[in-house]
Amino acid sequence: MTRKLLLHLTGERLCCWLWERGYLAAGPCFGHTPDGLAQFAGWLEGRGDTPALMLADLVEEDFQRQLLPHVAGRAGMTMRDRRLTQTWRDTAFRSAHQQGREDEGRRDDIVLFSALTNPAMLTPWLDILESQRIPLAALYTPALLSGALLPDEARREPHLLLVTQHASGIRQTYLQHGKVRFSRLAQAAAGAEQEAERTRQFLVGAHLLKRDLPLQVLALLPLARLASPPATANIAPLLDWRVMPLEEAAARQRLAASDDPDQLFLGLAARTAPTSHYPLGPRQRYYGLWRARRSLYASSAVLAACCLLWTGANIVGLSLARSHTQELHQETHGFSTAYKSSMSSMPPAVDKTANMRAAVQIAQMVARQGPWPQAVMSILSEALERSPQIRLTQLDWRANAPGAVPVTASTAFPGAAPTPALVTPQSSMLIGIPKAPQQQMRLQAEVLVEQDDYRSVLLSMNRFAQELARTPGMVVEIEQLPFDIRPNVKLSGKAGSPAGLGERSKFTLNLRWTP
C-alpha cells in the first residue's frame, strides 16, 4: 500500500496523518466531542479508497504475562481466548502474543496478554470509520511497536526500560531480552527521571528485578535535548541512563528524520504494516472488500498484459506469415512459368492423362499381384520353425505363367541345359497381370536324426511335407526320398556304421503355390 491514512488516537484528541511514498503529511485533529466526531465524519467523505491504520496511545492499557501449557493448533487458540475472556470481560480489544517457551521444566508457553480496557475511547471513532466505509486495516499500540526500535545490543539486555516522551505523556516500556513485558503511560507533567525510578521500584516490589541491581534505561530523545543529559545521580542512582537520538532510530528503520516520537511510531506502523495488535472483527470487512477489489484490479491488469502480449505475438506471426506467403506465391509463379515453358516446347500428346492413369493402375497391380517370393518364403520359414529336425540345403524359386514348362530336376539347379520353352517371350502373367501367377519352388533338405533311425527320417519328412500342404493353394510333391524303399530294390550298406545314414537322409520336394 503506497497511500495510507494514519489515525493517532490519544486521550485528548484524534489526529490524522497521510502516508504516501515514505513521507508523512500532517492532517487535522479532532477532539472527543460530538462536534469533533461530526467534523471527522465530514473529513472522511471521499476517502473510501484509502486504507486506514489506527495507533491508540491510551493510558487505559493493561498487560499481563502468564505461563500456559504448550498446546498447539486450535486447542491452544481456544485456551488463550478463554483466558482473555476471563481476564477482561468488558472489552473486545484484547489479544494474546506468544513470546516463546521456558527453557526448563515442562517448557510452558510464555504469553503476553494485553487489552485496551476502556473501549468507549475507540468505539465512536470506529463507528464513524465503518459508517463512511473506510477500509480499516489494523489497530496498533506504541507499546508493542517499541521492540522494533531497539538496537541489537539493547535486545540482549535482560532488563531494559524504554522511555519515550509523546504528546500524551511519558511512555515507559519494560522489556526482557527484547520482549515486551508491560508498558505504562504517565502524565507529561511528571519528569522522566522520577517516572523511571517509580517503575524500578515497582519492578523490585513485583520481584522482577533485584533490589540492588541497576536498571538499564534507554531514552529516545531529539538531538536538541542530547546536550543536557538527565541528572539522575541524585534522583535514581540505580538507573543506568542511556540516550539514543530519534534521528538515529528513524534512520535504522529507513524513515524520514523527525524530532517527534509520535511521527516515528506512525511511520514505523505505516512502513512495516505488521499484523493488527488487537482484533477488529467485523469492523475489518471493508478492508477485506478493498483487498479483494485490489486483487481483482491486479488480476485484470495481469490478464490485460497477457492479452496484449498474445495480440502482439499474433500480429508478429501474421506479418511473418504474410511475408512467407508472398515468398511462396513468387516460388509458385516461377515454377508455373518454368512448367509452361517446358510444356510448350513438347509436342502434343493424345490421351496423355488416360495413359498416365493406366500406367499408375498397372504399377499398383504389379506391386499388389507381382510374383514376389516374400510370401512363399514366409510359409516355408514357418514350416521349418515347426520342424526343427529338418535342415534346408538347397532352394530354387520361380514364377510360372500358364503354358510354361514346369520346373524339373534337370532345370532347377545351375548347370542344367536350358529348355526351349524358357527362352520364348515372357507372358504378362509373370508380373501379375491380370492375376497373380503360380509360384514354384524346389527344395532339398536333410533330416537330422540319430544314427540308423530310418523310421524317424521318413516320419520327419512326411510331417514337414504335411506342414507345407496345409497352406491353401499349396501342392507338395515328393520328388526324391531319403532312401529307396521300393520292394524290388536291394538294400545295401552296413547298419551301425560311423557314417550313419549319410546321403540317404536327404530328400527333394517340389512345391506349387497358387495365391
Side-chain angles (χ1 to χ4, degrees):
M1 297 182 292
T2 58
R3 182 182 176 90
K4 301 175 187 178
L5 178 62
L6 299 177
L7 305 175
H8 185 212
L9 179 64
T10 62
E12 293 79 20
R13 57 183 181 175
L14 174 73
C15 293
C16 301
W17 299 77
L18 188 63
W19 169 273
E20 189 170 8
R21 297 180 181 179
Y23 293 95
L24 275 173
C29 295
F30 307 97
H32 291 277
T33 60
D35 292 340
L37 294 174
Q39 294 174 6
F40 178 62
W43 184 80
L44 288 177
E45 291 183 359
R47 302 180 185 272
D49 58 341
T50 304
L53 303 175
M54 179 174 283
L55 180 67
D57 191 6
L58 302 174
V59 177
E60 297 89 350
E61 188 172 13
D62 192 12
F63 296 89
Q64 292 187 17
R65 196 181 192 192
Q66 301 180 13
L67 298 178
L68 297 180
H70 178 66
V71 180
R74 188 181 298 274
M77 295 176 59
T78 303
M79 180 178 62
R80 291 189 288 270
D81 291 341
R82 183 169 59 251
R83 184 63 60 88
L84 282 172
T85 305
Q86 293 172 357
T87 306
W88 299 290
R89 297 180 179 272
D90 299 331
T91 178
F93 306 108
R94 57 198 179 204
S95 63
H97 308 276
Q98 195 165 350
Q99 296 183 337
R101 301 178 62 180
E102 279 193 317
D103 297 332
E104 300 177 353
R106 63 179 185 179
R107 293 179 54 81
D108 290 340
D109 290 334
I110 303 173
V111 183
L112 177 67
F113 295 97
S114 63
L116 297 175
T117 56
N118 187 10
M121 297 290 294
L122 291 89
T123 302
W125 306 99
L126 296 179
D127 291 341
I128 292 176
L129 290 173
E130 190 173 6
S131 64
Q132 296 295 328
R133 298 186 176 184
I134 300 298
L136 181 60
L139 174 61
Y140 300 124
T141 173
L144 299 177
L145 288 174
S146 301
L149 299 176
L150 298 179
D152 295 337
E153 61 274 7
R155 296 177 188 272
R156 296 188 289 268
E157 292 289 343
H159 304 280
L160 178 69
L161 186 66
L162 179 65
V163 178
T164 53
Q165 189 167 2
H166 301 264
S168 56
I170 300 174
R171 177 168 290 278
Q172 302 175 80
T173 304
Y174 175 62
L175 303 99
Q176 291 181 342
H177 299 286
K179 304 291 185 179
V180 177
R181 184 67 183 267
F182 72 87
S183 181
R184 58 185 293 265
L185 182 65
Q187 297 295 326
E193 297 80 7
Q194 291 85 353
E195 291 297 331
E197 176 61 20
R198 292 175 185 173
T199 303
R200 191 194 68 82
Q201 295 174 3
F202 168 78
L203 294 175
V204 171
H207 302 288
L208 296 176
L209 184 69
K210 293 182 179 180
R211 183 174 301 276
D212 298 332
L213 186 68
L215 177 63
Q216 302 290 332
V217 180
L218 178 64
L220 296 180
L221 297 176
L223 284 174
R225 295 186 56 185
L226 294 182
S228 57
T232 61
N234 298 326
I235 300 177
L238 293 179
L239 293 179
D240 185 4
W241 198 279
R242 289 178 295 172
V243 179
M244 183 174 67
L246 285 174
E247 289 76 4
E248 179 182 344
R252 185 179 293 109
Q253 297 296 328
R254 293 177 293 175
L255 298 172
S258 174
D259 57 354
D260 187 0
D262 293 330
Q263 295 186 25
L264 178 62
F265 281 93
L266 288 171
L268 179 63
R271 191 187 66 81
T272 59
T275 306
S276 179
H277 294 160
Y278 295 108
L280 294 171
R283 299 182 187 274
Q284 273 188 317
R285 63 176 178 270
Y286 291 114
Y287 177 66
L289 294 175
W290 178 85
R291 291 183 61 183
R293 185 167 60 250
R294 290 291 298 269
S295 300
L296 290 176
Y297 289 160
S299 302
S300 301
V302 172
L303 183 60
C306 293
C307 292
L308 289 176
L309 291 175
W310 182 72
T311 303
N314 285 341
I315 292 174
V316 173
L318 178 61
S319 62
L320 292 176
R322 285 181 176 178
S323 63
H324 293 166
T325 303
Q326 292 178 359
E327 294 177 359
L328 292 176
H329 283 321
Q330 293 176 359
E331 292 180 1
T332 303
H333 179 69
F335 290 147
S336 300
T337 303
Y339 175 75
K340 290 179 181 179
S341 62
S342 61
M343 292 299 293
S344 61
S345 61
M346 297 176 63
V350 181
D351 297 334
K352 178 174 57 178
T353 305
N355 292 340
M356 293 178 63
R357 185 182 300 111
V360 171
Q361 292 176 354
I362 291 173
Q364 293 176 351
M365 186 182 298
V366 171
R368 186 174 59 254
Q369 300 180 169
W372 314 119
Q374 288 88 345
V376 69
M377 291 299 175
S378 63
I379 296 172
L380 178 60
S381 299
E382 293 177 359
L384 288 172
E385 186 177 357
R386 290 192 292 269
S387 303
Q389 69 277 12
I390 304 298
R391 183 171 65 184
L392 189 64
T393 59
Q394 200 169 6
L395 177 66
D396 178 55
W397 171 91
R398 67 184 60 194
N400 288 331
V405 178
V407 178
T408 61
S410 61
T411 60
F413 294 98
T419 306
L422 296 178
V423 297
T424 58
Q426 301 293 322
S427 172
S428 63
M429 287 284 292
L430 292 177
I431 60 174
I433 300 174
K435 63 179 181 178
Q438 186 185 71
Q439 301 181 30
Q440 187 172 355
M441 185 166 51
R442 185 176 185 274
L443 60 91
Q444 281 188 356
E446 61 180 355
V447 184
L448 305 176
V449 295
E450 296 181 358
Q451 183 176 347
D452 296 337
D453 195 351
Y454 297 96
R455 183 182 298 275
S456 297
V457 171
L458 290 176
L459 289 177
S460 299
M461 182 199 68
N462 289 331
R463 289 195 192 98
F464 179 61
Q466 290 173 2
E467 288 288 342
L468 292 172
R470 288 195 184 99
T471 304
M474 181 72 73
V475 178
V476 181
E477 294 179 357
I478 301 176
E479 179 179 326
Q480 181 182 353
L481 293 171
F483 44 82
D484 199 343
I485 58 173
R486 290 175 296 176
N488 58 350
V489 176
K490 179 181 178 180
L491 292 176
S492 63
K494 182 179 180 180
S497 61
L501 294 175
E503 294 294 332
R504 287 174 294 177
S505 64
K506 294 184 178 180
F507 61 92
T508 304
L509 297 180
N510 283 329
L511 308 179
R512 289 194 301 275
W513 181 54
T514 304

